[in-house]
Amino acid sequence: MSTMIKRYAVLTPFDLPEVVAGILALNHIDAAVVMTGSGAVVVRELAAPQYDEWDIRNIVGPDEFEEEDPEADPSDSAPTVAASLSKLSRFGVVLLDVDLGTDVGIEAGVSGTVRARRFLSGEAGEEISAGALLNVLDPLVEKLILGQEKPEDHDAILSSEVTTAMITKMARARNSRGEGKGTSGPLTDEDPEGKGSDGDSPDGGKPSGGSERRER
């Protein structure tokens, strides 16, 4: 029996995964954020579409022009999530779409596709070679998108668990330490004493304190 696997990952240039998770939470996006040597990576598992056993889409993935369910969870729309995050950095982000299957049709073992596309300023850009890109990234990125490693095994921050109090704490820490200094320590509901400010949301053009790195 074949098993279909579908997920996406968004490679960002940011080095504060807690801030990325906070931004996702503010936008009602449910995903895991993992820090890698190539930047914070947003990962989400998707429900794999079910086709007839011999349907070619089991191997190549769904048709690019298939209509999306208007009632679907926005977290499942990889282009929407990538476009939103790409507005936060002049370097943009890279979306990696994964459609894999095990023992599909006459193919034994794992087969399928990994597609990579750059997003800049909220717009989809050119497709790039996923293989060439993965060769120059932290190996953890490839392991995450292929399912060889799980986000929870690498201190992933789940945006669904980020609260307003946590976001306020990050904003206050940014204001008290100065522009660009970011936050440190675990992401919890505890509010640091004596760090009074109005707790602005960390959405001032880039994640608070995040140094930007160009995708390699």
Side-chain angles (χ1 to χ4, degrees):
M1 178 181 294
S2 62
T3 301
M4 301 305 299
I5 302 166
K6 186 172 176 61
R7 68 176 61 89
Y8 68 78
V10 181
L11 176 64
T12 81
F14 308 121
D15 60 3
L16 289 175
E18 64 270 26
V19 176
V20 175
I23 291 170
L24 293 175
L26 287 172
N27 287 279
H28 309 291
I29 301 299
D30 183 4
V33 185
V34 180
M35 190 62 214
T36 75
S38 301
V41 177
V42 176
V43 183
R44 179 168 171 85
E45 298 289 328
L46 301 173
Q50 299 299 314
Y51 305 118
D52 293 337
E53 182 176 359
W54 295 101
D55 195 312
I56 188 63
R57 290 175 296 182
N58 280 323
I59 298 175
V60 302
D63 187 277
E64 182 178 357
F65 302 105
E66 282 188 17
E67 293 186 3
E68 294 187 1
D69 182 353
E71 298 182 358
D73 187 338
S75 305
D76 290 339
S77 177
T80 299
V81 176
S84 177
L85 290 171
S86 73
K87 297 176 183 178
L88 305 176
S89 166
R90 66 180 181 273
F91 301 129
V93 301
V94 175
L95 170 64
L96 294 157
D97 273 308
V98 182
D99 289 285
L100 300 175
T102 57
D103 301 328
V104 177
I106 61 174
E107 295 286 338
V110 178
S111 59
T113 60
V114 178
R115 302 179 182 89
R117 175 176 292 183
R118 189 181 303 277
F119 279 73
L120 189 63
S121 300
E123 300 292 335
E126 75 279 9
E127 289 197 10
I128 56 182
S129 169
L133 176 66
L134 292 172
N135 281 339
V136 298
L137 296 178
D138 182 341
L140 176 57
V141 177
E142 181 174 10
K143 292 177 180 178
L144 287 170
I145 67 172
L146 295 181
Q148 297 170 347
E149 299 280 352
K150 295 184 180 300
E152 55 266 31
D153 295 332
H154 295 275
D155 299 321
I157 300 175
L158 303 181
S159 62
S160 61
E161 297 179 358
V162 175
T163 66
T164 301
M166 294 175 186
I167 295 173
T168 300
K169 175 186 174 182
M170 288 186 286
R172 287 181 174 176
R174 177 188 182 188
N175 291 338
S176 64
R177 297 175 189 176
E179 178 76 21
K181 294 297 180 64
T183 67
S184 61
L187 189 64
T188 69
D189 282 325
E190 295 180 4
D191 191 21
E193 296 180 1
K195 297 186 183 293
S197 78
D198 292 333
D200 297 330
S201 297
D203 58 357
K206 66 179 180 179
S208 59
S211 62
E212 295 180 344
R213 293 185 237 155
R214 189 181 302 275
E215 294 92 349
R216 291 178 286 168

